[in-house]
Amino acid sequence: LEVSLLEISERAASAAHEKIKSIYQSMFSKGRLTEDQMQSALNNLNMITEYSDFSNTDLLIEAVFEDMDIKKEVFKKIDDVAKEGAIIATNTSFLDISEMASVIERKFDVLGLHFFSPAHIMPLLEIVKTDNTSDGVVATAFKLAKTIRKTPVLSGVCYGFIANRMSTCYGREAGLLLLEGATVEQVDQVMFDFGMPMGMFSMLDMAGIDIGVMARSKLSENSYDKGAFSIHAALVENGHKGQKTGLGFYLYEGREKSHNPEIERLAVELANGFDIKRSEKSPKEIEERCIMALINEGYKIIEEGIALRASDIDVVYAYAFGFPRYKGGPMHYGEHVGLSYVLKRINEFADQYGDRWWKPSPLLVKLAEESNDNV
């Protein structure tokens, strides 16, 4: 497909082109592309610095910084130059696409195309439909996904959509477990043993701890658990953002990681501040708190109509976060272990830790009552 990439300057455009070229050359060297295919792709890539060059483009995807005001400004500029019938998309990971679209008239042409990083490798594409997005635009997005060999899943609009909304719940429990007495290595190892390709803290270090901290800084404090993400905030405040700075939940020498003793000190200090009593955590509790949080949130997402079906959530979590496919995704796994058992454990966690985050989904309660797997 012919693609134009807008950058803010010639220098930035040149740097972007070199980065993309290096990706194609790597694919060629690994035998994933022929030299002709690589050259054809590079010939189809146009680097531009003016919005007016988009005037005849069929699909425009903004992928700027995760800031609503900046996104709106870009949408206005796109709206000024885009031809009638052009699809206007956003690659936002969290933000309200309906609010983004509110600054332009053609709201029916707007949707989310949330690619996962690195976008040339990760197979999932979340297609996010607002209340105004036309069916034709959604259908075109699905056709595009198949054309570029991505696996599409439809999502409604909410904070984080399907993938990141659920991941936030997993991240919350992992963060609380640190304050309560578990170690970074213990939590990561338990989830690796469960079948995840890496633990939560290894994943955060790889992605950049600052990304989540920045996103939460724009939220009201009652919309997330401040304690759960307090170590994250403290690390970033000290300039420790993960692999890219050589220090995060682990210490790094290149890509080799080792224990960071600072985490234990921070955990003890912050646990005292949040009046959290520390104790040893069993592998079973670590696993079940992380996985049951995913399952419960998944049922809430279905209740709200954000996801069309449970299997869509399983596809998202398998393709975006590496949930072990042999366990079928979090929703299938919940059915496998028994929804009555899942509900029992969620209620036990609610009794022990409060129901602010552990209130069971009404849909889960209903399905557990109807199931034949009573515990």
Side-chain angles (χ1 to χ4, degrees), residues 342-362:
V342 171
L343 180 60
K344 172 176 172 284
R345 292 298 285 145
I346 287 172
N347 283 328
E348 287 170 353
F349 291 142
D351 290 341
Q352 190 172 356
Y353 300 108
D355 67 358
R356 180 184 179 190
W357 307 117
W358 284 111
K359 187 170 183 176
S361 152

Side-chain angles (χ1 to χ4, degrees), residues 168-239:
T168 297
C169 299
Y170 170 19
R172 179 193 70 232
E173 292 308 308
L176 287 171
L177 283 160
L178 289 189
L179 296 191
E180 293 167 16
T183 67
V184 165
E185 289 85 355
Q186 185 186 11
V187 174
D188 275 2
Q189 188 62 50
V190 166
M191 297 313 297
F192 180 78
D193 292 343
F194 177 80
M196 301 295 282
M198 65 177 72
M200 172 56 72
F201 300 113
S202 296
M203 184 172 72
L204 287 171
D205 275 356
M206 184 177 71
I209 307 167
D210 53 316
I211 295 171
V213 170
M214 207 173 301
R216 284 184 293 274
S217 71
K218 300 181 185 302
L219 299 176
S220 62
E221 288 190 1
N222 63 359
S223 64
Y224 69 98
D225 193 306
K226 191 175 179 182
F229 299 101
S230 57
I231 292 180
H232 310 52
L235 286 170
V236 172
E237 188 177 350
N238 291 327

Side-chain angles (χ1 to χ4, degrees), residues 8-218:
I8 57 173
S9 67
E10 293 287 354
R11 183 177 178 182
S14 178
H17 187 273
E18 286 305 306
K19 174 67 175 175
I20 294 167
K21 185 178 178 181
S22 72
I23 290 170
Y24 279 120
Q25 287 174 330
S26 173
M27 294 168 75
F28 167 64
S29 67
K30 293 173 183 175
R32 294 173 57 196
L33 284 180
T34 66
E35 188 168 6
D36 285 347
Q37 287 172 325
M38 176 179 71
Q39 199 54 55
S40 175
L42 290 170
N43 289 342
N44 276 332
L45 177 61
N46 307 305
M47 308 305 297
I48 62 176
T49 56
E50 298 294 334
Y51 277 86
S52 57
D53 291 333
F54 282 139
S55 60
N56 199 38
T57 303
D58 296 315
L59 165 67
L60 301 97
I61 308 172
E62 73 75 23
V64 299
F65 189 67
E66 289 282 76
D67 180 278
M68 182 60 79
D69 291 337
I70 297 174
K71 299 275 194 190
K72 286 179 176 178
E73 192 59 39
V74 170
F75 259 47
K76 287 178 188 173
K77 290 179 179 178
I78 290 173
D79 189 39
D80 287 342
V81 301
K83 68 181 182 181
E84 185 178 350
I87 296 174
I88 302 175
T90 171
N91 183 48
T92 183
S93 306
F94 293 96
L95 299 177
D96 186 336
I97 299 171
S98 298
E99 182 183 344
M100 219 176 288
S102 68
V103 297
I104 64 175
E105 292 296 323
R106 46 172 125 180
K107 298 175 179 59
F108 48 85
D109 285 332
V110 173
L111 84 169
L113 292 177
H114 178 210
F115 292 82
F116 290 77
S117 183
H120 63 289
I121 293 173
M122 297 296 285
L124 184 71
L125 176 59
E126 267 187 320
I127 296 174
V128 188
K129 178 185 182 297
T130 75
D131 290 341
N132 295 309
T133 309
S134 75
D135 291 343
V137 166
V138 173
T140 304
F142 270 82
K143 176 71 182 295
L144 171 73
K146 292 177 181 179
T147 301
I148 62 174
R149 296 189 292 280
K150 297 296 184 188
T151 300
V153 170
L154 187 66
S155 173
V157 175
C158 66
Y159 182 78
F161 318 127
I162 297 171
N164 285 323
R165 173 171 164 177
M166 288 182 68
S167 182
T168 297
C169 299
Y170 170 19
R172 179 193 70 232
E173 292 308 308
L176 287 171
L177 283 160
L178 289 189
L179 296 191
E180 293 167 16
T183 67
V184 165
E185 289 85 355
Q186 185 186 11
V187 174
D188 275 2
Q189 188 62 50
V190 166
M191 297 313 297
F192 180 78
D193 292 343
F194 177 80
M196 301 295 282
M198 65 177 72
M200 172 56 72
F201 300 113
S202 296
M203 184 172 72
L204 287 171
D205 275 356
M206 184 177 71
I209 307 167
D210 53 316
I211 295 171
V213 170
M214 207 173 301
R216 284 184 293 274
S217 71
K218 300 181 185 302

Side-chain angles (χ1 to χ4, degrees), residues 246-257:
L247 196 152
F249 288 100
Y250 295 91
L251 302 177
Y252 293 90
E253 286 287 339
R255 291 194 173 233
E256 291 296 315
K257 65 184 181 184

